[in-house]
Amino acid sequence: MIAELGLALLWIAAALACLSLVAAIVYLRSGKGELAALVRPASVAQGALTAAAFGVLIALFVRSDMSVELVARNSHSLKPMLFKVAGAWGNHEGSMLLWLTILGLSGALVALFEKRLREDTLIATLAAQAALSLGFFAFLLFSSNPFKRLPIAPPDGQGLNPLLQDPGLAFHPPTLYIGYVGLSVAFSFAVGALVTREIGPAFARAMRPWVLGSWIFLTLGITAGSYWAYYELGWGGWWFWDPVENVSLIPWLAGAALLHSVSVTATRNALRAWTVMLAVIAFSMSMVGTFIVRSGLLTSVHSFAVDPERGTFLLVLMALYIGGALTLFAFRAGAVAEGKKFALLSREGSLVINNLLLTTILALVLLGTLYPIVAEAMGEKISIGPPYYNRVAGPLALILCLVMVAGPLLNWRRDDGRKLWSRLPAAVLAGAAVLFGLVLFGGHVGVLPLLGMTVAAVVGVASLAPLWGRNLRRTPLPTWGMVIAHFGVAVALAGMAAESAFIKERLVAAAPGETVKVGDFAVKFVGVQPVAGPNYTAIEGTLVATTSSGDSFTMRPAARTFPGLMGTPPTETNEAALLTRPGGQLYAVLGQPVTDADGRADRYQLRLWWKPLVWWIWLGGGLIAVGGTLALLGRAQLLALWRARRARRKQERFA
């Protein structure tokens, strides 16, 4: 009966979303206040019931209830508990229920805590959120029911894809989904403000923490996903420009542009049209990503659905939401376009250039992602890989970084540039020193990595400029957040460029006792031994890596075999071994055995990489997220101070 309970909770939550939407529409058209009173509690109850339904799904996976089709297809009674729980969203239906749960809880939080908007704008925002929820309720209930029962329960399940049996599954999808759904809240705020024509600082201040929060989670999700793919897939890379990777990057780019734009609208009442349009674009890109991953257009470890009917359903939803928002924007263009003027040489001007570059990169990545899909649908097979993205997006990203460091050094509204030039010499000198050092002593370095390391030096020093001459104890948290996030960009950029420029690779067939040189390491292949895991068997290699200074480290790469379940064939995976040092990472993968004439395995394939500063990429991503978190806490602190001041003024007025 527990599955039926979960399904019933979903139906009741869908009914509440419908009630919230209808009550909001009637209130906005007629002004009847008693109907407006229904919207907030209905939104809160909808979020709570959807979360309860998701809790039921997790309970079904924990109990290994094989009478539920989703559990039977994606779990097994012998799986470790972590993967039983994470398996609830490691599939199409469960991940969509997780999406809907976060969407419902976000609407509930807006209903409970948002106090800055006018009543009609808040009601319109909750109505937009309810409309989004209704579409996904319909998708789950009519196309992707996660609680569907099997006529006859199998003795056990088919298990989870071995590539997903990693702690990364417990962290990566939820953080990405929180980021995606946070953008849906920004979309709802934009629609609500368009409906009531309240497009100004109050609307932007209400939207800003949601944009910042979603961007933080997107940053964490993309960073974690990159590292997960790096160590789990065994191919040695940290970004493949795979379409499924791209559809997480595209909303991040849109969110970054929206974050800067909404801050200008909140503080300077400018860039109003940019803010509204970017809110629509950011959520549209998350919808496009959802469609691509779940439509069956792609075959990937990340993609779940292979049913074209589901893709059609999502395509209709995407057309309704995006088309409706753009139509509303067109009708309200006159109210949106107004805002305070500013000169091109100003902080606002630099942010406009920043947004133009971000949206251009977004468009180029989106084009590279969609064009092969469209071409294949027309009968032509085309592959677009890293060379395209590096050539078209790489130079623009470097220019973007330079514009990014200039913005905080300019004044609002208008600037003569003197403040900017007075603070740049140290950054320029740092960049010049790195450039000349690499040209003279770096050996053969490609143009793009060379420029990347040079720009990283400029950005790293210039990002600290807003702290010069300040009392650091009195520096506001949002300023610290901006500095740390921009410094994180420099760290990540330096890691990307250094890894690309100086990577060393060896592919050998080594016998036990043989030593292989790679980078600064002499790696001795000691041998292999069989290992039994909780739900797999493995051949584990033992490597001893010795540096030129004599320090030795043991590494244990493995080749795992997961047994076939319910008639499925066995699956083999490579588990890389990583040795992290201050200067980079040694990455080792154990390959297939090489047999002699008698069929005995006397050697094993070894693939070794030395990757200078590669861990800086994920350190930089973490710093960007930390910077965003400090900015978010700082905004909350400022809001609390503003409310306290307002309360004191009221007391003084009535005293």
Side-chain angles (χ1 to χ4, degrees), residues 224-252:
S226 168
Y227 191 63
W228 180 15
Y230 169 77
Y231 71 75
E232 177 64 26
L233 298 183
W235 64 288
W238 48 271
W239 194 264
F240 191 64
W241 292 106
D242 177 89
V244 181
E245 290 179 327
N246 291 351
V247 297
S248 65
L249 177 64
I250 290 169
W252 184 88

PDB file of all heavy atoms in Angstrom, residues 224-252:
ATOM      1  N   ALA A 224      31.303  19.113  -8.972  1.00  0.00           N
ATOM      2  CA  ALA A 224      31.279  17.730  -8.492  1.00  0.00           C
ATOM      3  C   ALA A 224      31.115  16.756  -9.652  1.00  0.00           C
ATOM      4  O   ALA A 224      31.761  15.695  -9.687  1.00  0.00           O
ATOM      5  CB  ALA A 224      30.137  17.548  -7.487  1.00  0.00           C
ATOM      6  N   GLY A 225      30.269  17.103 -10.622  1.00  0.00           N
ATOM      7  CA  GLY A 225      30.076  16.225 -11.771  1.00  0.00           C
ATOM      8  C   GLY A 225      31.337  16.077 -12.596  1.00  0.00           C
ATOM      9  O   GLY A 225      31.650  14.984 -13.090  1.00  0.00           O
ATOM     10  N   SER A 226      32.070  17.178 -12.748  1.00  0.00           N
ATOM     11  CA  SER A 226      33.332  17.124 -13.491  1.00  0.00           C
ATOM     12  C   SER A 226      34.325  16.194 -12.792  1.00  0.00           C
ATOM     13  O   SER A 226      34.960  15.355 -13.437  1.00  0.00           O
ATOM     14  CB  SER A 226      33.923  18.533 -13.616  1.00  0.00           C
ATOM     15  OG  SER A 226      35.251  18.495 -14.074  1.00  0.00           O
ATOM     16  N   TYR A 227      34.449  16.329 -11.475  1.00  0.00           N
ATOM     17  CA  TYR A 227      35.396  15.486 -10.747  1.00  0.00           C
ATOM     18  C   TYR A 227      34.953  14.025 -10.739  1.00  0.00           C
ATOM     19  O   TYR A 227      35.773  13.103 -10.861  1.00  0.00           O
ATOM     20  CB  TYR A 227      35.574  16.001  -9.328  1.00  0.00           C
ATOM     21  CG  TYR A 227      36.729  15.354  -8.595  1.00  0.00           C
ATOM     22  CD1 TYR A 227      38.031  15.522  -9.053  1.00  0.00           C
ATOM     23  CD2 TYR A 227      36.526  14.564  -7.474  1.00  0.00           C
ATOM     24  CE1 TYR A 227      39.102  14.921  -8.414  1.00  0.00           C
ATOM     25  CE2 TYR A 227      37.591  13.965  -6.820  1.00  0.00           C
ATOM     26  CZ  TYR A 227      38.878  14.143  -7.288  1.00  0.00           C
ATOM     27  OH  TYR A 227      39.937  13.541  -6.658  1.00  0.00           O
ATOM     28  N   TRP A 228      33.650  13.810 -10.616  1.00  0.00           N
ATOM     29  CA  TRP A 228      33.104  12.445 -10.636  1.00  0.00           C
ATOM     30  C   TRP A 228      33.438  11.770 -11.964  1.00  0.00           C
ATOM     31  O   TRP A 228      33.956  10.644 -12.002  1.00  0.00           O
ATOM     32  CB  TRP A 228      31.593  12.510 -10.414  1.00  0.00           C
ATOM     33  CG  TRP A 228      30.894  11.177 -10.410  1.00  0.00           C
ATOM     34  CD1 TRP A 228      31.463   9.947 -10.305  1.00  0.00           C
ATOM     35  CD2 TRP A 228      29.486  10.963 -10.509  1.00  0.00           C
ATOM     36  NE1 TRP A 228      30.493   8.972 -10.332  1.00  0.00           N
ATOM     37  CE2 TRP A 228      29.269   9.560 -10.452  1.00  0.00           C
ATOM     38  CE3 TRP A 228      28.385  11.799 -10.620  1.00  0.00           C
ATOM     39  CZ2 TRP A 228      27.997   9.004 -10.529  1.00  0.00           C
ATOM     40  CZ3 TRP A 228      27.120  11.244 -10.690  1.00  0.00           C
ATOM     41  CH2 TRP A 228      26.934   9.867 -10.641  1.00  0.00           C
ATOM     42  N   ALA A 229      33.170  12.437 -13.085  1.00  0.00           N
ATOM     43  CA  ALA A 229      33.486  11.862 -14.392  1.00  0.00           C
ATOM     44  C   ALA A 229      34.990  11.658 -14.549  1.00  0.00           C
ATOM     45  O   ALA A 229      35.435  10.663 -15.143  1.00  0.00           O
ATOM     46  CB  ALA A 229      32.957  12.771 -15.500  1.00  0.00           C
ATOM     47  N   TYR A 230      35.774  12.575 -13.989  1.00  0.00           N
ATOM     48  CA  TYR A 230      37.234  12.516 -14.099  1.00  0.00           C
ATOM     49  C   TYR A 230      37.792  11.248 -13.469  1.00  0.00           C
ATOM     50  O   TYR A 230      38.612  10.545 -14.072  1.00  0.00           O
ATOM     51  CB  TYR A 230      37.800  13.764 -13.430  1.00  0.00           C
ATOM     52  CG  TYR A 230      39.291  13.790 -13.208  1.00  0.00           C
ATOM     53  CD1 TYR A 230      40.169  14.043 -14.253  1.00  0.00           C
ATOM     54  CD2 TYR A 230      39.822  13.619 -11.931  1.00  0.00           C
ATOM     55  CE1 TYR A 230      41.537  14.102 -14.041  1.00  0.00           C
ATOM     56  CE2 TYR A 230      41.178  13.678 -11.701  1.00  0.00           C
ATOM     57  CZ  TYR A 230      42.040  13.922 -12.760  1.00  0.00           C
ATOM     58  OH  TYR A 230      43.392  13.978 -12.537  1.00  0.00           O
ATOM     59  N   TYR A 231      37.337  10.918 -12.263  1.00  0.00           N
ATOM     60  CA  TYR A 231      37.936   9.747 -11.608  1.00  0.00           C
ATOM     61  C   TYR A 231      37.156   8.457 -11.882  1.00  0.00           C
ATOM     62  O   TYR A 231      37.700   7.363 -11.747  1.00  0.00           O
ATOM     63  CB  TYR A 231      38.084   9.964 -10.099  1.00  0.00           C
ATOM     64  CG  TYR A 231      36.811   9.971  -9.283  1.00  0.00           C
ATOM     65  CD1 TYR A 231      36.116   8.804  -8.992  1.00  0.00           C
ATOM     66  CD2 TYR A 231      36.316  11.160  -8.750  1.00  0.00           C
ATOM     67  CE1 TYR A 231      34.966   8.818  -8.228  1.00  0.00           C
ATOM     68  CE2 TYR A 231      35.160  11.183  -7.986  1.00  0.00           C
ATOM     69  CZ  TYR A 231      34.490  10.005  -7.731  1.00  0.00           C
ATOM     70  OH  TYR A 231      33.338  10.023  -6.984  1.00  0.00           O
ATOM     71  N   GLU A 232      35.887   8.560 -12.288  1.00  0.00           N
ATOM     72  CA  GLU A 232      35.069   7.358 -12.435  1.00  0.00           C
ATOM     73  C   GLU A 232      35.147   6.749 -13.828  1.00  0.00           C
ATOM     74  O   GLU A 232      35.205   5.528 -13.977  1.00  0.00           O
ATOM     75  CB  GLU A 232      33.597   7.686 -12.102  1.00  0.00           C
ATOM     76  CG  GLU A 232      32.637   6.523 -12.279  1.00  0.00           C
ATOM     77  CD  GLU A 232      32.916   5.368 -11.331  1.00  0.00           C
ATOM     78  OE1 GLU A 232      33.492   5.611 -10.247  1.00  0.00           O
ATOM     79  OE2 GLU A 232      32.561   4.228 -11.677  1.00  0.00           O
ATOM     80  N   LEU A 233      35.166   7.568 -14.863  1.00  0.00           N
ATOM     81  CA  LEU A 233      35.114   7.030 -16.223  1.00  0.00           C
ATOM     82  C   LEU A 233      36.464   6.514 -16.704  1.00  0.00           C
ATOM     83  O   LEU A 233      36.535   5.760 -17.671  1.00  0.00           O
ATOM     84  CB  LEU A 233      34.584   8.091 -17.189  1.00  0.00           C
ATOM     85  CG  LEU A 233      33.145   8.569 -16.907  1.00  0.00           C
ATOM     86  CD1 LEU A 233      32.710   9.565 -17.965  1.00  0.00           C
ATOM     87  CD2 LEU A 233      32.171   7.396 -16.855  1.00  0.00           C
ATOM     88  N   GLY A 234      37.555   6.943 -16.064  1.00  0.00           N
ATOM     89  CA  GLY A 234      38.866   6.384 -16.356  1.00  0.00           C
ATOM     90  C   GLY A 234      39.500   6.850 -17.645  1.00  0.00           C
ATOM     91  O   GLY A 234      40.488   6.267 -18.087  1.00  0.00           O
ATOM     92  N   TRP A 235      38.969   7.919 -18.260  1.00  0.00           N
ATOM     93  CA  TRP A 235      39.556   8.378 -19.523  1.00  0.00           C
ATOM     94  C   TRP A 235      40.561   9.507 -19.306  1.00  0.00           C
ATOM     95  O   TRP A 235      41.243   9.933 -20.232  1.00  0.00           O
ATOM     96  CB  TRP A 235      38.470   8.830 -20.493  1.00  0.00           C
ATOM     97  CG  TRP A 235      37.684  10.028 -20.034  1.00  0.00           C
ATOM     98  CD1 TRP A 235      36.758  10.063 -19.038  1.00  0.00           C
ATOM     99  CD2 TRP A 235      37.753  11.353 -20.556  1.00  0.00           C
ATOM    100  NE1 TRP A 235      36.247  11.326 -18.889  1.00  0.00           N
ATOM    101  CE2 TRP A 235      36.839  12.143 -19.819  1.00  0.00           C
ATOM    102  CE3 TRP A 235      38.491  11.957 -21.570  1.00  0.00           C
ATOM    103  CZ2 TRP A 235      36.647  13.499 -20.063  1.00  0.00           C
ATOM    104  CZ3 TRP A 235      38.288  13.309 -21.808  1.00  0.00           C
ATOM    105  CH2 TRP A 235      37.387  14.059 -21.071  1.00  0.00           C
ATOM    106  N   GLY A 236      40.651   9.993 -18.069  1.00  0.00           N
ATOM    107  CA  GLY A 236      41.699  10.942 -17.715  1.00  0.00           C
ATOM    108  C   GLY A 236      41.362  12.393 -17.924  1.00  0.00           C
ATOM    109  O   GLY A 236      42.187  13.253 -17.632  1.00  0.00           O
ATOM    110  N   GLY A 237      40.177  12.698 -18.418  1.00  0.00           N
ATOM    111  CA  GLY A 237      39.820  14.093 -18.684  1.00  0.00           C
ATOM    112  C   GLY A 237      38.833  14.627 -17.671  1.00  0.00           C
ATOM    113  O   GLY A 237      38.160  13.884 -16.971  1.00  0.00           O
ATOM    114  N   TRP A 238      38.747  15.952 -17.604  1.00  0.00           N
ATOM    115  CA  TRP A 238      37.847  16.593 -16.642  1.00  0.00           C
ATOM    116  C   TRP A 238      36.661  17.278 -17.320  1.00  0.00           C
ATOM    117  O   TRP A 238      35.726  17.706 -16.663  1.00  0.00           O
ATOM    118  CB  TRP A 238      38.610  17.620 -15.799  1.00  0.00           C
ATOM    119  CG  TRP A 238      39.471  18.543 -16.611  1.00  0.00           C
ATOM    120  CD1 TRP A 238      40.768  18.347 -16.985  1.00  0.00           C
ATOM    121  CD2 TRP A 238      39.083  19.781 -17.201  1.00  0.00           C
ATOM    122  NE1 TRP A 238      41.213  19.387 -17.763  1.00  0.00           N
ATOM    123  CE2 TRP A 238      40.204  20.294 -17.908  1.00  0.00           C
ATOM    124  CE3 TRP A 238      37.916  20.524 -17.192  1.00  0.00           C
ATOM    125  CZ2 TRP A 238      40.175  21.494 -18.597  1.00  0.00           C
ATOM    126  CZ3 TRP A 238      37.879  21.725 -17.880  1.00  0.00           C
ATOM    127  CH2 TRP A 238      38.999  22.207 -18.570  1.00  0.00           C
ATOM    128  N   TRP A 239      36.671  17.404 -18.654  1.00  0.00           N
ATOM    129  CA  TRP A 239      35.522  17.971 -19.379  1.00  0.00           C
ATOM    130  C   TRP A 239      35.620  17.505 -20.822  1.00  0.00           C
ATOM    131  O   TRP A 239      36.631  17.728 -21.486  1.00  0.00           O
ATOM    132  CB  TRP A 239      35.536  19.488 -19.298  1.00  0.00           C
ATOM    133  CG  TRP A 239      34.223  20.092 -19.717  1.00  0.00           C
ATOM    134  CD1 TRP A 239      33.893  20.581 -20.946  1.00  0.00           C
ATOM    135  CD2 TRP A 239      33.059  20.257 -18.909  1.00  0.00           C
ATOM    136  NE1 TRP A 239      32.593  21.038 -20.952  1.00  0.00           N
ATOM    137  CE2 TRP A 239      32.054  20.850 -19.711  1.00  0.00           C
ATOM    138  CE3 TRP A 239      32.758  19.949 -17.582  1.00  0.00           C
ATOM    139  CZ2 TRP A 239      30.788  21.152 -19.232  1.00  0.00           C
ATOM    140  CZ3 TRP A 239      31.493  20.246 -17.102  1.00  0.00           C
ATOM    141  CH2 TRP A 239      30.524  20.855 -17.906  1.00  0.00           C
ATOM    142  N   PHE A 240      34.545  16.873 -21.311  1.00  0.00           N
ATOM    143  CA  PHE A 240      34.576  16.266 -22.640  1.00  0.00           C
ATOM    144  C   PHE A 240      33.762  17.055 -23.666  1.00  0.00           C
ATOM    145  O   PHE A 240      33.758  16.716 -24.837  1.00  0.00           O
ATOM    146  CB  PHE A 240      34.032  14.836 -22.545  1.00  0.00           C
ATOM    147  CG  PHE A 240      34.241  14.014 -23.779  1.00  0.00           C
ATOM    148  CD1 PHE A 240      35.527  13.699 -24.213  1.00  0.00           C
ATOM    149  CD2 PHE A 240      33.166  13.559 -24.519  1.00  0.00           C
ATOM    150  CE1 PHE A 240      35.726  12.947 -25.359  1.00  0.00           C
ATOM    151  CE2 PHE A 240      33.351  12.799 -25.663  1.00  0.00           C
ATOM    152  CZ  PHE A 240      34.635  12.495 -26.078  1.00  0.00           C
ATOM    153  N   TRP A 241      33.075  18.092 -23.224  1.00  0.00           N
ATOM    154  CA  TRP A 241      32.135  18.820 -24.077  1.00  0.00           C
ATOM    155  C   TRP A 241      31.059  17.872 -24.615  1.00  0.00           C
ATOM    156  O   TRP A 241      30.562  18.036 -25.720  1.00  0.00           O
ATOM    157  CB  TRP A 241      32.847  19.544 -25.224  1.00  0.00           C
ATOM    158  CG  TRP A 241      33.706  20.692 -24.763  1.00  0.00           C
ATOM    159  CD1 TRP A 241      35.063  20.708 -24.702  1.00  0.00           C
ATOM    160  CD2 TRP A 241      33.263  21.959 -24.284  1.00  0.00           C
ATOM    161  NE1 TRP A 241      35.514  21.913 -24.226  1.00  0.00           N
ATOM    162  CE2 TRP A 241      34.425  22.714 -23.962  1.00  0.00           C
ATOM    163  CE3 TRP A 241      32.024  22.558 -24.102  1.00  0.00           C
ATOM    164  CZ2 TRP A 241      34.368  24.010 -23.455  1.00  0.00           C
ATOM    165  CZ3 TRP A 241      31.962  23.853 -23.600  1.00  0.00           C
ATOM    166  CH2 TRP A 241      33.122  24.563 -23.282  1.00  0.00           C
ATOM    167  N   ASP A 242      30.724  16.887 -23.786  1.00  0.00           N
ATOM    168  CA  ASP A 242      29.608  16.006 -24.084  1.00  0.00           C
ATOM    169  C   ASP A 242      28.312  16.826 -24.032  1.00  0.00           C
ATOM    170  O   ASP A 242      28.187  17.737 -23.223  1.00  0.00           O
ATOM    171  CB  ASP A 242      29.583  14.884 -23.029  1.00  0.00           C
ATOM    172  CG  ASP A 242      28.398  13.956 -23.205  1.00  0.00           C
ATOM    173  OD1 ASP A 242      28.506  12.971 -23.934  1.00  0.00           O
ATOM    174  OD2 ASP A 242      27.357  14.248 -22.598  1.00  0.00           O
ATOM    175  N   PRO A 243      27.305  16.521 -24.897  1.00  0.00           N
ATOM    176  CA  PRO A 243      26.058  17.302 -24.860  1.00  0.00           C
ATOM    177  C   PRO A 243      25.411  17.349 -23.486  1.00  0.00           C
ATOM    178  O   PRO A 243      24.831  18.371 -23.103  1.00  0.00           O
ATOM    179  CB  PRO A 243      25.165  16.570 -25.876  1.00  0.00           C
ATOM    180  CG  PRO A 243      26.114  15.968 -26.846  1.00  0.00           C
ATOM    181  CD  PRO A 243      27.313  15.569 -26.026  1.00  0.00           C
ATOM    182  N   VAL A 244      25.501  16.255 -22.730  1.00  0.00           N
ATOM    183  CA  VAL A 244      24.883  16.246 -21.402  1.00  0.00           C
ATOM    184  C   VAL A 244      25.672  17.126 -20.427  1.00  0.00           C
ATOM    185  O   VAL A 244      25.103  17.748 -19.534  1.00  0.00           O
ATOM    186  CB  VAL A 244      24.754  14.802 -20.884  1.00  0.00           C
ATOM    187  CG1 VAL A 244      24.093  14.778 -19.523  1.00  0.00           C
ATOM    188  CG2 VAL A 244      23.943  13.968 -21.859  1.00  0.00           C
ATOM    189  N   GLU A 245      26.984  17.205 -20.595  1.00  0.00           N
ATOM    190  CA  GLU A 245      27.766  18.160 -19.803  1.00  0.00           C
ATOM    191  C   GLU A 245      27.395  19.589 -20.192  1.00  0.00           C
ATOM    192  O   GLU A 245      27.259  20.468 -19.332  1.00  0.00           O
ATOM    193  CB  GLU A 245      29.261  17.929 -20.038  1.00  0.00           C
ATOM    194  CG  GLU A 245      29.803  16.646 -19.459  1.00  0.00           C
ATOM    195  CD  GLU A 245      31.289  16.474 -19.749  1.00  0.00           C
ATOM    196  OE1 GLU A 245      31.762  16.909 -20.817  1.00  0.00           O
ATOM    197  OE2 GLU A 245      31.980  15.894 -18.895  1.00  0.00           O
ATOM    198  N   ASN A 246      27.232  19.811 -21.478  1.00  0.00           N
ATOM    199  CA  ASN A 246      26.940  21.156 -21.958  1.00  0.00           C
ATOM    200  C   ASN A 246      25.616  21.688 -21.425  1.00  0.00           C
ATOM    201  O   ASN A 246      25.488  22.884 -21.143  1.00  0.00           O
ATOM    202  CB  ASN A 246      26.916  21.184 -23.486  1.00  0.00           C
ATOM    203  CG  ASN A 246      28.287  20.965 -24.087  1.00  0.00           C
ATOM    204  OD1 ASN A 246      29.290  20.960 -23.386  1.00  0.00           O
ATOM    205  ND2 ASN A 246      28.337  20.766 -25.388  1.00  0.00           N
ATOM    206  N   VAL A 247      24.622  20.800 -21.302  1.00  0.00           N
ATOM    207  CA  VAL A 247      23.311  21.291 -20.876  1.00  0.00           C
ATOM    208  C   VAL A 247      23.283  21.632 -19.387  1.00  0.00           C
ATOM    209  O   VAL A 247      22.291  22.204 -18.909  1.00  0.00           O
ATOM    210  CB  VAL A 247      22.187  20.285 -21.216  1.00  0.00           C
ATOM    211  CG1 VAL A 247      22.081  20.084 -22.709  1.00  0.00           C
ATOM    212  CG2 VAL A 247      22.370  18.967 -20.487  1.00  0.00           C
ATOM    213  N   SER A 248      24.313  21.297 -18.658  1.00  0.00           N
ATOM    214  CA  SER A 248      24.436  21.831 -17.292  1.00  0.00           C
ATOM    215  C   SER A 248      25.230  23.133 -17.294  1.00  0.00           C
ATOM    216  O   SER A 248      24.998  24.016 -16.467  1.00  0.00           O
ATOM    217  CB  SER A 248      25.104  20.807 -16.368  1.00  0.00           C
ATOM    218  OG  SER A 248      26.446  20.568 -16.759  1.00  0.00           O
ATOM    219  N   LEU A 249      26.170  23.269 -18.234  1.00  0.00           N
ATOM    220  CA  LEU A 249      26.963  24.495 -18.324  1.00  0.00           C
ATOM    221  C   LEU A 249      26.138  25.669 -18.838  1.00  0.00           C
ATOM    222  O   LEU A 249      26.290  26.805 -18.365  1.00  0.00           O
ATOM    223  CB  LEU A 249      28.165  24.262 -19.247  1.00  0.00           C
ATOM    224  CG  LEU A 249      29.063  25.472 -19.518  1.00  0.00           C
ATOM    225  CD1 LEU A 249      29.739  25.947 -18.242  1.00  0.00           C
ATOM    226  CD2 LEU A 249      30.098  25.142 -20.590  1.00  0.00           C
ATOM    227  N   ILE A 250      25.241  25.419 -19.795  1.00  0.00           N
ATOM    228  CA  ILE A 250      24.486  26.511 -20.420  1.00  0.00           C
ATOM    229  C   ILE A 250      23.633  27.265 -19.395  1.00  0.00           C
ATOM    230  O   ILE A 250      23.670  28.502 -19.348  1.00  0.00           O
ATOM    231  CB  ILE A 250      23.635  25.957 -21.584  1.00  0.00           C
ATOM    232  CG1 ILE A 250      24.554  25.539 -22.744  1.00  0.00           C
ATOM    233  CG2 ILE A 250      22.643  26.988 -22.078  1.00  0.00           C
ATOM    234  CD1 ILE A 250      23.849  24.752 -23.829  1.00  0.00           C
ATOM    235  N   PRO A 251      22.839  26.608 -18.536  1.00  0.00           N
ATOM    236  CA  PRO A 251      22.109  27.372 -17.510  1.00  0.00           C
ATOM    237  C   PRO A 251      23.041  28.097 -16.543  1.00  0.00           C
ATOM    238  O   PRO A 251      22.686  29.165 -16.028  1.00  0.00           O
ATOM    239  CB  PRO A 251      21.278  26.303 -16.785  1.00  0.00           C
ATOM    240  CG  PRO A 251      21.189  25.173 -17.739  1.00  0.00           C
ATOM    241  CD  PRO A 251      22.464  25.182 -18.508  1.00  0.00           C
ATOM    242  N   TRP A 252      24.223  27.520 -16.286  1.00  0.00           N
ATOM    243  CA  TRP A 252      25.181  28.200 -15.401  1.00  0.00           C
ATOM    244  C   TRP A 252      25.628  29.517 -16.021  1.00  0.00           C
ATOM    245  O   TRP A 252      25.726  30.538 -15.326  1.00  0.00           O
ATOM    246  CB  TRP A 252      26.380  27.296 -15.142  1.00  0.00           C
ATOM    247  CG  TRP A 252      27.366  27.863 -14.163  1.00  0.00           C
ATOM    248  CD1 TRP A 252      27.347  27.718 -12.796  1.00  0.00           C
ATOM    249  CD2 TRP A 252      28.512  28.673 -14.458  1.00  0.00           C
ATOM    250  NE1 TRP A 252      28.406  28.383 -12.233  1.00  0.00           N
ATOM    251  CE2 TRP A 252      29.137  28.980 -13.225  1.00  0.00           C
ATOM    252  CE3 TRP A 252      29.057  29.166 -15.623  1.00  0.00           C
ATOM    253  CZ2 TRP A 252      30.283  29.759 -13.137  1.00  0.00           C
ATOM    254  CZ3 TRP A 252      30.200  29.949 -15.547  1.00  0.00           C
ATOM    255  CH2 TRP A 252      30.811  30.238 -14.328  1.00  0.00           C
TER     256      TRP A 252
END
